[in-house]
Amino acid sequence: MGYLSCNAESAIATCDPNYWDLKNKNGSPNTRSRRTIHKHKLPQIREFEYSDIIAATKGFSSDSFLGKGSHGSVYKASLDNGKIIAAVKKTKFSKPAAANLRNHAANCRGCAKCNSPAENEIEILSRVRDTRCLVNLIGFCTDSNDNKLIVVEYMPNGSLYDLLHSSSTRPPGWKRRVRFALQLAKAVQTLHSSNPPVIHRDIKSSNVLIDEEWNARLGDFGLALRGHAEDVRIKCTPPAGTFGYLDPSYLAPGDVSTKSDVFSFGIMLLEIISGRKAIDVNYSPPSVVDWAVPLIKHGEFIRVCDRRIGTPSDPTAIRQMAALAARCVRSTAEKRPSMSEVVECLKVVRKRIHWSPIWKSLKQRVARAENMQALARKEMHDASEEVVSARKTVKAVSRRNSRKVSSVPGVECESGHRNHRMARSKSMGCSSSSAGGFVRRNTKTGMTVRVKMPVAKLNKSRSMGGLAS
């Protein structure tokens, strides 16, 4: 358990003699630095007088106290007649510990135990600066015991831990949570992509601070390592971190890598999704990993969501984010994604969560219009089929009604002759000179013969209904 504690001796010593060259050419402190922090431009790092820090924090009074960090207390400071509002980190070092550290540093050649957490943070933040996602360094000073105090940007809206777990404040919604996750992923990506890369080693929700514009910033670089994993200084640095966020495969100095930060980020992502702490003895199992990962593997994403805010409007978003968190906390470091992959995945999730209500309404209207058009096309198709069917029926009926008798075979006269054709009649099918038959005249003899009308069967027609004579 000694390796899990965050003590001064677990901080890296990247003894670079050039990083203290923060003064101007005359050797005096750089007092011509910018007095205000621009939104997009950071001021030059200043070296303050300890008396100025005492005055700015009102003697480190309780009224200026903001909270406790990993290595000491944090106080609010008003510098340059109120033009700069900052936070001062006062490292809690006892005199014997500081003396032993100075004696060790005087006799070593750059091992990992030379720097205090404050000195390490000054060294890291003087080289890696980002106005968007890191709590940046403003300056530093040295107290009467030669301990370094650092002055960083003031974050007025507390920490992510307080937002997620405080019962007195309303928990943030899904849009803000996804936004925080993406901003923190970009912060860790910035560290890993620097040259040489920086491994934070202490990523957790209490080290994430919220600025005045409600942006998430990653802070507290007291345990950070700057360099490659094969560097001698990193290999001799014992494991350190916070219990619950610490990579289980990080058991020896040589095991540290950027994937250790990926694991810690995955724990924090599960914390953002579920609203549960990394370790909470009020639940069984107490570890958020042991509780959430089996549910995610079985596809029970809804049970992982924070019940206080319900599920997001797009269920695909929570599935993607939960699956990403499960990938980050894999026991094998090689199977974890890089922070670049994490950023790209969270960008997709953010597009789903942060879809504008206007565009959502427009999308719904377009969908309704398309459904109505599809329904109208279907109705027109059905109607055309009915018209075609009706036309076929009319044609069939007209063909049946147009049938007429053209001749009457089998007609016999009195003399027994057959097949005498009869003249057509619209009403009867033949013409007759009398009701009982018709008269036939022989042109040669001049004799007239009356022929009786035989009974002839005719086809039915609508105008007759049937005829027999």
Side-chain angles (χ1 to χ4, degrees):
M1 296 298 293
Y3 284 145
L4 299 179
S5 61
C6 303
N7 50 39
E9 294 184 355
S10 66
I12 180 177
T14 52
C15 297
D16 188 351
N18 296 321
Y19 85 91
W20 290 113
D21 189 17
L22 302 174
K23 300 181 180 182
N24 58 15
K25 296 181 179 180
N26 297 327
S28 59
N30 188 357
T31 57
R32 296 182 180 180
S33 303
R34 294 183 180 270
R35 299 286 176 158
T36 57
I37 301 176
H38 194 270
K39 187 176 182 180
H40 301 290
K41 294 182 179 180
L42 288 169
Q44 296 181 10
I45 298 174
R46 300 167 56 184
E47 183 176 2
F48 295 96
E49 296 292 335
Y50 184 64
S51 58
D52 295 337
I53 299 298
I54 292 292
T57 58
K58 300 178 181 178
F60 299 104
S61 65
S62 59
D63 295 336
S64 303
F65 180 74
L66 295 176
K68 289 187 177 181
S70 301
H71 309 286
S73 302
V74 182
Y75 295 86
K76 185 177 180 180
S78 178
L79 299 166
D80 296 347
N81 297 322
K83 293 181 179 179
I84 296 179
I85 305 298
V88 177
K89 286 185 170 184
K90 185 179 180 182
T91 305
K92 188 177 181 181
F93 253 157
S94 62
K95 290 184 178 181
N100 293 335
L101 190 61
R102 288 194 300 271
N103 293 333
H104 174 80
N107 299 322
C108 79
R109 296 182 179 180
C111 75
K113 299 181 181 180
C114 294
N115 283 0
S116 68
E119 291 172 333
N120 188 66
E121 189 161 1
I122 293 171
E123 195 275 333
I124 296 292
L125 291 180
S126 63
R127 282 163 172 75
V128 182
R129 312 187 77 192
D130 193 295
T131 59
R132 301 164 299 171
C133 51
L134 300 180
V135 180
N136 293 284
L137 181 68
I138 297 176
F140 62 94
C141 75
T142 306
D143 64 6
S144 56
N145 295 323
D146 291 334
N147 293 325
K148 293 293 186 298
L149 281 73
I150 61 176
V151 182
V152 296
E153 293 176 302
Y154 172 66
M155 302 287 113
N157 290 313
S159 67
L160 179 60
Y161 181 91
D162 297 332
L163 291 179
L164 292 176
H165 306 301
S166 176
S167 58
S168 59
T169 59
R170 184 178 180 181
W174 284 110
K175 289 184 179 181
R176 183 163 288 178
R177 293 187 188 213
V178 174
R179 183 165 171 254
F180 287 162
L182 179 57
Q183 290 171 342
L184 295 174
K186 290 180 178 179
V188 182
Q189 183 189 23
T190 300
L191 298 179
H192 292 178
S193 60
S194 62
N195 188 23
V198 175
I199 305 173
H200 191 279
R201 293 205 306 167
D202 200 17
I203 297 175
K204 57 183 179 180
S205 58
S206 59
N207 283 342
V208 176
L209 303 179
I210 312 300
D211 64 13
E212 57 185 3
E213 296 180 355
W214 291 93
N215 296 314
R217 305 279 200 95
L218 182 62
D220 202 340
F221 291 81
L223 298 180
L225 300 175
R226 183 172 179 264
H228 297 281
E230 62 271 11
D231 292 349
V232 176
R233 295 173 181 175
I234 292 181
K235 284 186 175 182
C236 67
T237 303
T242 301
F243 183 70
Y245 296 89
L246 192 61
D247 181 6
S249 63
Y250 183 25
L251 301 176
D255 298 331
V256 67
S257 68
T258 55
K259 295 300 180 72
S260 302
D261 283 349
V262 174
F263 181 89
S264 301
F265 179 84
I267 299 292
M268 190 172 59
L269 189 56
L270 289 176
E271 195 175 354
I272 291 173
I273 296 172
S274 64
R276 283 184 51 169
K277 300 176 183 179
I279 299 293
D280 195 337
V281 295
N282 295 322
Y283 294 93
S284 180
S287 171
V288 68
V289 175
D290 296 339
W291 167 74
V293 171
L295 295 177
I296 295 172
K297 288 183 177 179
H298 288 86
E300 300 180 19
F301 304 100
I302 305 300
R303 293 182 59 185
V304 183
C305 296
D306 193 344
R307 296 181 179 179
R308 297 174 296 173
I309 59 174
T311 57
S313 57
D314 192 341
T316 305
I318 188 62
R319 288 199 298 268
Q320 292 177 341
M321 190 160 57
L324 175 64
R327 291 176 59 201
C328 291
V329 297
R330 285 177 174 173
S331 57
T332 305
E334 290 76 13
K335 294 182 179 180
R336 300 168 194 162
S338 65
M339 289 309 301
S340 299
E341 297 177 51
V342 173
V343 169
E344 294 303 320
C345 184
L346 288 175
K347 284 181 179 179
V348 176
V349 175
R350 187 174 185 267
K351 287 181 180 179
R352 292 183 176 275
I353 293 291
H354 286 256
W355 193 270
S356 172
I358 297 177
W359 290 107
K360 270 188 179 180
S361 177
L362 180 60
K363 184 178 180 181
Q364 293 173 357
R365 292 181 183 180
V366 171
R368 285 197 296 266
E370 290 177 350
N371 292 335
M372 292 177 66
Q373 290 178 0
L375 182 61
R377 286 194 296 267
K378 185 177 183 302
E379 291 178 352
M380 292 177 63
H381 179 70
D382 295 343
S384 63
E385 287 185 349
E386 291 178 1
V387 170
V388 172
S389 178
R391 287 179 179 175
K392 290 182 180 179
T393 304
V394 169
K395 287 181 180 179
V397 171
S398 63
R399 284 198 298 269
R400 290 197 301 268
N401 294 344
S402 63
R403 291 177 184 174
K404 298 179 181 179
V405 177
S406 60
S407 63
V408 182
V411 177
E412 296 182 0
C413 60
E414 293 177 353
S415 60
H417 298 284
R418 301 187 62 183
N419 296 333
H420 299 292
R421 291 184 178 275
M422 298 179 289
R424 287 185 179 183
S425 171
K426 288 184 179 180
S427 61
M428 299 181 62
C430 63
S431 62
S432 60
S433 58
S434 63
F438 62 92
V439 178
R440 184 177 183 182
R441 182 181 178 83
N442 192 332
T443 57
K444 293 182 179 181
T445 61
M447 296 178 64
T448 303
V449 181
R450 184 178 294 278
V451 183
K452 292 183 179 181
M453 177 66 72
V455 177
K457 292 183 179 181
L458 305 177
N459 291 331
K460 282 186 179 182
S461 67
R462 288 190 177 181
S463 60
M464 297 174 58
L467 175 65
S469 60

